[in-house]
Amino acid sequence: MSEALLEVEDLKKHFPIRGGFIRRNVNHVRAVDGVSFDIPQGQTLGLVGESGCGKTTVGRTLLRLTDPTAGSIRFRGQEIATLSRRRMRELRPKMQIVFQDPMSSLNPRMTIKQILTEPLRLNGVGRDAAHKRIVELLETVGMTAEQANRFPHEFSGGQRQRIGVARALALNPDFIVLDEPTSALDVSVQAQVLNLLSRLQKELDLTYLFISHDLSVIRHLCDEVAVMYLGRIVEKGPVEKVFTSPQHPYTQALLSAVPIPDPETRAKRIILTGDVPSPVNPPKACRFHPRCPRAQAICREIDPPLEAKEAGHLAACHFPGPQEKWPITQTREVKVSEG
Ligand code: SF4
């Protein structure tokens, strides 16, 4: 395996909740609460989980769009979690982001040429070189130089996302956070954008963090996947291992909801009951225990560490393993339906 481009250790991001007359901190939202992973150069790590699990906060914190509360982020071996804003600005061209909604991330009053020129000129690229680079960028993402004088609303959703990708590529980054980049697009357009991202990764040796709630997309694009629940990673490993042999009950529940194209196959669907607990006061010990079909007394007392169940495949569970191996706890109300 190639060397890690990004190494994240025990990353935390807690947002203060202010209250009272003098607006003092009364509590914290533990959006990210001790997350560790590496991404090797040229590979893609998928970050998956329900809405509100902290995956977008991880992406934004890695780029220092929001400052971490604690933990370490090393980019090419350099610690950036504590880097000054000025030093971080110097590094920013190498670390970019593509947002979920291309319409709201592109200024509607600027032409595509102005949108792409902005990061180039801010980083000291001259007018002629910027013009040449814009033509090159548009061609790279499958568009033409003639389209540069149009405004974002004149393009389809897929084309706008291509423009978002072109803007992220403008300064030759090494690492890109892709934050649900295809979830606002139609399925056929999604495939085109995913193929584009895949091609660019190979051609430009890019490293991606791919944030998504769509497991099929993660399986298509990623080398490794990390499953997040309530601010923590509960399972992590090579995509094929996690998809074919999930160890954590939460991963198994997520995977059971993925439609199987074969009409002969009737998969058992695990429907988790209860809402996701609040990240302000997460459950003690295993955070998944109030919703877990496999929970036992120990789960409410001891926090299971994220540890290897087999080479490179980690899970944070006292009773990891295939779903069939563990009977559903009688006291737990879980609906298992034929899907
Ligand atoms: Fe479920 Fe217990 Fe594993 Fe947590 S540690 S996921 S409650 S079995």
Side-chain angles (χ1 to χ4, degrees):
M1 188 175 274
S2 49
E3 235 174 68
L5 179 90
L6 194 81
E7 296 160 280
V8 177
E9 214 178 306
D10 206 16
L11 185 68
K12 292 183 182 167
K13 177 65 192 179
H14 297 175
F15 294 99
I17 301 172
R18 297 187 199 284
F21 185 61
I22 53 167
R23 311 283 301 152
R24 64 190 174 85
N25 291 353
V26 290
N27 213 331
H28 288 90
V29 175
R30 292 161 174 79
V32 179
D33 207 18
V35 159
S36 303
F37 57 82
D38 294 350
I39 315 182
Q41 167 87 43
Q43 295 211 1
T44 303
L45 173 71
L47 206 50
V48 71
E50 288 166 294
S51 164
C53 69
K55 53 193 191 303
T56 290
T57 307
V58 169
R60 296 179 67 84
T61 311
L62 293 186
L63 300 189
R64 294 281 309 277
L65 299 177
T66 177
D67 286 338
T69 305
S72 163
I73 307 166
R74 285 188 297 279
F75 179 73
R76 292 204 182 286
Q78 180 187 9
E79 180 57 67
I80 63 167
T82 49
L83 221 52
S84 69
R85 296 221 169 268
R86 188 180 62 78
R87 296 281 311 283
M88 199 57 219
R89 259 199 306 277
E90 290 165 11
L91 197 66
R92 182 84 64 214
K94 294 287 153 204
M95 305 177 82
Q96 291 290 313
I97 185 164
V98 174
F99 295 100
Q100 174 178 2
D101 181 0
M103 194 57 192
S104 61
S105 66
L106 301 174
N107 187 333
R109 284 187 289 276
M110 290 167 86
T111 63
I112 303 313
K113 184 175 176 181
Q114 289 168 326
I115 288 169
L116 296 179
T117 302
E118 200 176 39
L120 295 167
R121 296 305 298 268
L122 282 174
N123 282 275
V125 178
R127 189 186 296 266
D128 290 347
H131 178 73
K132 215 170 134 207
R133 180 72 179 136
I134 289 166
V135 174
E136 197 177 271
L137 284 167
L138 287 171
E139 283 170 2
T140 303
V141 298
M143 297 181 71
T144 62
E146 291 73 52
Q147 293 171 311
N149 290 320
R150 297 203 211 153
F151 290 88
H153 73 268
E154 297 178 67
F155 294 96
S156 67
Q159 286 172 319
R160 281 197 289 267
Q161 198 53 297
R162 285 172 191 267
I163 296 161
V165 172
R167 184 179 54 184
L169 292 177
L171 298 164
N172 292 314
D174 294 327
F175 173 63
I176 304 182
V177 172
L178 301 162
D179 188 1
E180 304 259 16
T182 56
S183 59
L185 306 175
D186 292 343
V187 176
S188 60
V189 181
Q190 272 188 17
Q192 292 167 13
V193 173
L194 290 174
N195 289 340
L196 170 71
L197 291 169
S198 213
R199 173 172 66 77
L200 292 173
Q201 181 171 43
K202 286 191 197 89
E203 287 175 7
L204 305 173
D205 195 23
L206 295 168
T207 304
Y208 293 152
L209 177 73
F210 192 96
I211 298 169
S212 180
H213 63 274
D214 186 334
L215 286 152
S216 315
V217 170
I218 292 271
R219 190 172 196 175
H220 177 77
L221 199 85
C222 302
D223 300 287
E224 281 208 310
V225 59
V227 181
M228 273 191 85
Y229 184 78
L230 216 53
R232 294 211 178 140
I233 291 174
V234 295
E235 183 156 4
K236 187 168 88 68
V239 159
E240 275 319 300
K241 278 203 171 150
V242 173
F243 275 75
T244 54
S245 168
Q247 300 288 309
H248 196 282
Y250 179 61
T251 313
Q252 287 158 3
L254 289 184
L255 285 172
S256 77
V258 177
I260 298 171
D262 182 356
E264 299 297 310
T265 311
R266 288 170 62 77
K268 272 195 173 169
R269 176 144 188 220
I270 306 167
I271 300 169
L272 296 172
T273 54
D275 295 330
V276 180
S278 164
V280 177
N281 289 307
K284 299 251 173 317
C286 175
R287 292 179 176 200
F288 188 54
H289 83 251
R291 302 174 79 198
C292 181
R294 212 182 278 171
Q296 306 291 326
I298 188 178
C299 309
R300 290 180 275 277
E301 286 153 22
I302 298 173
D303 199 3
L306 182 67
E307 57 189 15
K309 306 302 166 193
E310 51 181 329
H313 187 177
L314 295 84
C317 178
H318 293 304
F319 307 103
Q323 200 177 315
E324 312 75 56
K325 191 175 151 194
W326 301 102
I328 289 167
T329 313
Q330 294 305 306
T331 53
R332 186 95 20 225
E333 189 207 337
V334 172
K335 296 176 211 145
V336 179
S337 67
E338 297 293 321

